[in-house]
Amino acid sequence: MTDEAILQGQATTPFAGALSAAIRDRGMTLARLQERLAAHGNPVSRATLSYWRSGARRPEGAQSLAAVADLEQLLGLDDGALLQLLGPTQRTGPLGPVAFPFDEDPTEQRVRETFLAMGAAYPDPTRELTIHAVTDVGPEGHVRRRTARVLVQATSGVVTAVPYVEISTGEPTPPPGFEALGGGRISKRYTHPSNEVHGFLFELERPITSPETMLIEWAVTYPPEIEVSDGSGYGVAFQARELLLWTRFDPAWLPDWCDEIEETPAGRVVTPRMLHGARSLHAVRRGFGPGALSMGWGRGERPTTD
C-alpha cells in the first residue's frame, strides 16, 4: 500500500483535518512535501507526515514543531494556522523518580494507610506540575490558613480524584478544616488513628486521562486549638515544574528569624532568610522534586542544630 493510499483515512483531530485539507488544496504529494521540508533543514519521514495527516500521531518536540511552521509556509497558510490547532502537549514529559517527600518511615506508612482508607491508590497516579501555596500567619503567630493552587496531571489511566494529606509528625492534632475552592469538590475526609496525618480526597469536576491536566484550588484552615507556629511547607513525590511558597505574616506578629528549608534525597539544606521590613517571604524552585520545600520562623534566638 502506498503512502497516498494510507492517507485516505478520516482525519481525527482539528490539526489533522487542516493539514489534510491544505495538502489536498495545494495538490501536494507527500513525497514532494518531504523533499521540500528536507531542503529547508526540517527532515520528516513520509510515514510521519502520513500519521500527522490522519491524526494517528501529532507533532511533539522542538524539531517537529519547527517542521510544522515550515509546512505552513510551504502550503501557503498563515503563520500559526496549524500550530494553534495542536493545543497543549500530549506528553507527560519525564516523570523522574517517585519518592515519599519525607524520610520518616512511620509517617510514610501512615500516609499510605490514609490514602487507602480514602479509596485512593498509593502512590497516586498524578503529578503536580505547578504549585502555588500561600500560608497566612495570624496575629498570635500561628498558621491560620493555607491555600494551594495546583496544576495536576494524570500520569496513567483515568483519574477522577486526587488525595492530599496534612502531616504533623510527632504532634497529634485534631483535624483541620478542608475546603475546595475550584476545580472540584472534597468527597472524603479521613484522620489516621495516630492523629498525625489528616487526609482529604479532592474529586475533580471531570475525569482526566493521561496526560491531561486540570487546575484545582483548595484551602486548609486551622482552628485555635491547633497552634502551628513555626513553619509550613509543601512536599512533592514527583518532580514539579514550579513550586512556589508564599508566607504572609500578620503585621501584629512578625518573626525575628526565618529559614528556607529544602529536603530532598540528596539531603537537607537550610538557608537563613530576612524580612528586611517586608511582611512576607517567598521561596521558589523550578524542576524540583521529589522532596519538600518549607519555611520556618520564630522569635528570639534562632535554634542551633548539630
Side-chain angles (χ1 to χ4, degrees):
M1 183 180 291
T2 66
D3 289 333
E4 296 300 328
I6 295 173
L7 291 175
Q8 299 309 310
Q10 179 95 21
T12 58
T13 67
F15 170 83
L19 177 60
S20 177
I23 293 174
R24 182 184 63 247
D25 294 345
R26 295 289 291 179
M28 188 80 71
T29 65
L30 286 190
R32 179 57 179 156
L33 203 54
Q34 180 196 26
E35 291 174 0
R36 297 189 68 180
L37 283 170
H40 287 199
N42 288 307
V44 177
S45 71
R46 275 186 286 175
T48 295
L49 290 173
S50 172
Y51 290 137
W52 289 356
R53 186 186 183 194
S54 69
R57 295 181 188 171
R58 52 165 278 160
E60 295 278 7
Q63 183 173 346
S64 293
L65 296 179
V68 172
D70 203 7
L71 280 173
E72 292 172 346
Q73 294 185 12
L74 294 175
L75 296 172
L77 301 174
D78 293 336
D79 290 346
L82 294 176
L83 287 171
Q84 69 181 356
L85 297 176
L86 285 173
T89 180
Q90 296 299 301
R91 290 178 174 172
T92 60
L95 296 177
V98 59
F100 187 68
F102 305 98
D103 59 7
E104 298 91 347
D105 290 338
T107 299
E108 180 175 8
Q109 181 60 31
R110 289 164 182 164
V111 170
R112 180 193 301 271
E113 292 168 358
T114 299
F115 274 36
L116 297 179
M118 295 189 297
Y122 186 91
D124 173 54
T126 64
R127 70 167 172 176
E128 298 164 305
L129 294 179
T130 304
I131 306 108
H132 291 178
V134 181
T135 297
D136 287 303
V137 180
E140 305 86 8
H142 302 151
V143 175
R144 282 291 156 252
R145 182 177 172 89
R146 288 201 310 118
T147 61
R149 183 173 296 169
V150 185
L151 182 65
V152 295
Q153 180 183 45
T155 59
S156 65
V158 178
V159 174
T160 60
V162 183
Y164 285 97
V165 292
E166 284 284 301
I167 301 172
S168 58
T169 302
E171 298 181 13
T173 65
F178 299 124
E179 178 186 2
L181 302 179
R185 68 185 184 92
I186 293 176
S187 59
K188 293 182 181 178
R189 294 172 173 83
Y190 178 80
T191 292
H192 189 270
S194 66
N195 287 311
E196 294 180 16
V197 178
H198 308 282
F200 66 94
L201 195 63
F202 193 106
E203 183 179 318
L204 305 177
E205 60 187 10
R206 69 169 180 83
I208 56 175
T209 303
S210 175
E212 284 186 291
T213 60
M214 179 168 287
L215 191 62
I216 65 175
E217 187 174 13
W218 47 267
V220 182
T221 54
Y222 303 90
E225 59 268 28
I226 303 180
E227 297 184 355
V228 180
S229 59
D230 60 355
S232 184
Y234 204 98
V236 291
F238 283 112
Q239 185 181 94
R241 291 178 183 170
E242 181 178 78
L243 171 57
L244 171 65
L245 303 184
W246 188 19
T247 304
R248 305 185 296 200
F249 298 97
D250 189 284
W253 194 97
L254 298 177
D256 296 325
W257 57 268
C258 297
D259 283 334
E260 180 179 306
I261 306 161
E262 179 181 298
E263 297 175 89
T264 68
R268 187 172 189 265
V269 178
V270 179
T271 304
R273 297 287 304 274
M274 298 292 292
L275 285 172
H276 294 298
R279 296 175 181 172
S280 68
L281 282 175
H282 74 274
V284 64
R285 295 291 188 278
R286 294 181 176 86
F288 177 79
L293 182 64
S294 60
M295 299 292 290
W297 58 81
R299 283 187 165 177
E301 294 293 324
R302 176 184 272 107
T304 58
T305 57
D306 295 333

